[in-house]
């Protein structure tokens, strides 16, 4: 099923591909959480235009297939006079796309903290930003950490979609090796196994983390 | 104590509605002088918690004026955070920060809001913990404390801002009976130190022993405002008489 010799011969390409996938995942995760956090705060804001904008953003991205968003950025942005190339294009796409999903998780996390915590902070004279920074967000992030990381596992798998615009991420490098050597079955089986070996142990760890956090609470 | 001085807390014709129909505070006029301890009681739903939460504007009001230490609390130009520094608040459900240790719960606001240096804030916090009898719990987390201990930490947290007034919103209602005494003892000691206090509570023993005045609220109206001995022995309204019967002898009605 798997041709280990072929994989050994192409190990540099495959390792580089895996590093690209991890880098894309990490960047989209960090950027997505930062932007997602701002979106969540905007959505919970009592200032209507802000919360409407955040709701529109989140609903838009959650209603469009990721493939389409990748295409949209890659093919349409140059029309507006921005030559950013495929790499920058997918880093921006994934960050903006994931921000929509992270923001919903963060919003739920913030809403899970009791109103009494906010009242207690306000009663002591803390401002809104101080209340968010010292009271709400630390508790919310601890509660939602497992869910945020689970979303990141999904994100890691989704990064394989960038192959369709010719990027050599891990999936893309497998495609290259497969077609150059007419070894579709071998390479795609290997790719599936590799994704599984990364994602499954992480999922298991997250399950345990979830249980531990539930106990502390 | 100079009783002629301007009151520490003053309500002038205060009205509040929840939504359009629920008139929860009706034309409230009330003064609390410096050093006074005022107990607010009344049946559930009478608006007493709302009343106390309007003082530091945790609940906004629709019209009227609330003055705290000569500053109008419900004026949009008032820096409400500045005013809240002067008003300690103790909640029914303690509302300690579960992710912070006891010491950090107490020092957070002094350090972040008052910009007091950390070592000084911690020294003050330790003195307060000694006062409420919990110095040995400084590194514990709220989840590992009993309800009574949590409420005593919450009182220390309020005092750490060195407030002019302390407000208590049913501070013992969520406690097991055997823990009520330890919290009331701390509050009594605080009253004796001259702190201005407004306390929403059903602990009539505390009212009788510690309060300077008892305010009885029913359906958003102040029906009685009297010295404790007068309130308990000679209430003026039928509603207050009924309330006292229910609360003092719930088995015999």
């Amino acid at each position: 099923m798997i041709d280990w010799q072929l994989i050994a011969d192409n190990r540099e390409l495959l390792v580089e591909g895996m590093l690209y996938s991890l880098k894309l995942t990490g960047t989209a995760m960090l950027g997505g959480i930062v932007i997602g956090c701002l979106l969540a705060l905007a959505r919970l804001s009592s200032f209507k235009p802000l919360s409407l904008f955040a709701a529109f953003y989140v609903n838009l991205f959650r209603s469009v297939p990721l493939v389409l968003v990748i295409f949209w950025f890659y093919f349409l942005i140059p029309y507006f006079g921005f030559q950013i190339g495929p790499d920058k294009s997918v880093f921006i796409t994934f960050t903006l796309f994931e921000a929509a999903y992270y923001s919903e998780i963060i919003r739920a996390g913030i809403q899970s903290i009791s109103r009494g915590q906010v009242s207690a902070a306000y009663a002591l004279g803390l401002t809104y930003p101080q209340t968010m920074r010292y009271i709400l967000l630390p508790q919310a992030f601890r509660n939602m950490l497992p869910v945020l990381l689970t979303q990141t596992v999904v994100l890691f798998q989704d990064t394989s979609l960038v192959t369709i615009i010719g990027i050599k991420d891990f999936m893309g490098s497998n495609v290259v090796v497969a077609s150059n050597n007419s070894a579709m079955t071998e390479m795609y089986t290997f790719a599936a196994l590799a994704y599984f070996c990364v994602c499954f142990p992480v999922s298991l760890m997250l399950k345990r983390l979830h249980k531990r956090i539930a106990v502390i609470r | 104590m100079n009783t002629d001085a301007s009151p520490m807390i003053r309500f002038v014709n205060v009205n509040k509605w929840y939504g359009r129909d629920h008139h929860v505070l009706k034309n409230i006029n009330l003064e609390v002088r410096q050093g006074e301890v005022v107990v607010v009681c009344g049946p559930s739903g009478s608006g007493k918690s709302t009343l106390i939460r309007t003082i530091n504007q945790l609940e906004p009001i629709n019209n009227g004026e609330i003055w705290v230490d000569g500053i109008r609390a419900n004026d949009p130009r008032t820096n409400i955070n500045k005013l809240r520094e002067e008003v300690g608040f103790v909640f029914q459900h303690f509302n300690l920060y579960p992710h912070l240790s006891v010491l950090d719960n107490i020092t957070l606001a002094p350090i972040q809001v008052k910009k007091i240096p950390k070592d000084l804030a911690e020294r003050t916090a330790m003195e307060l913990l000694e006062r409420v009898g919990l110095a040995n719990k400084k590194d514990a987390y709220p989840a590992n404390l009993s309800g009574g201990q949590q409420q005593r930490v919450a009182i220390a947290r309020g005092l750490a801002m060195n407030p002019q007034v302390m407000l208590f919103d049913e501070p013992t209602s969520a406690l097991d009976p055997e823990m009520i005494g330890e919290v009331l003892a701390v509050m009594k000691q605080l009253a004796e130190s001259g702190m201005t206090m407004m306390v929403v509570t059903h602990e009539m023993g505390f009212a009788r022993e510690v309060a300077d005045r008892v305010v009885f609220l029913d359906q958003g109206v102040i029906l009685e405002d009297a010295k404790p001995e007068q309130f308990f022995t000679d209430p003026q309204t039928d509603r207050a008489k009924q309330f006292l019967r229910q609360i003092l002898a719930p088995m015999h009605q």
Side-chain angles (χ1 to χ4, degrees), chain B residues 15-69:
Chain B
N15 281 285
K16 179 179 173 64
W17 283 264
Y18 281 129
R20 207 171 304 160
D21 309 320
H22 188 191
H23 196 173
V24 60
L25 295 178
K26 295 173 189 160
N27 213 36
I28 299 287
N29 284 287
L30 181 66
E31 288 188 357
V32 178
R33 288 186 297 275
Q34 185 172 13
E36 233 183 351
V37 177
V38 173
V39 160
V40 180
C41 62
S44 73
S46 59
K48 52 196 191 303
S49 279
T50 307
L51 178 77
I52 202 168
R53 290 169 72 95
T54 59
I55 296 169
N56 64 355
Q57 294 288 290
L58 286 179
E59 293 279 359
I61 59 174
N62 294 89
N63 58 54
E65 291 172 14
I66 294 175
W67 296 80
V68 179
D69 199 14

Side-chain angles (χ1 to χ4, degrees), chain A residues 95-113:
Chain A
T95 302
L96 294 181
F97 188 85
E98 289 303 318
Y101 283 84
Y102 284 125
S103 87
E104 286 295 275
I105 297 169
I106 295 167
R107 180 168 71 117
I110 291 173
Q111 285 176 322
S112 72
I113 308 299

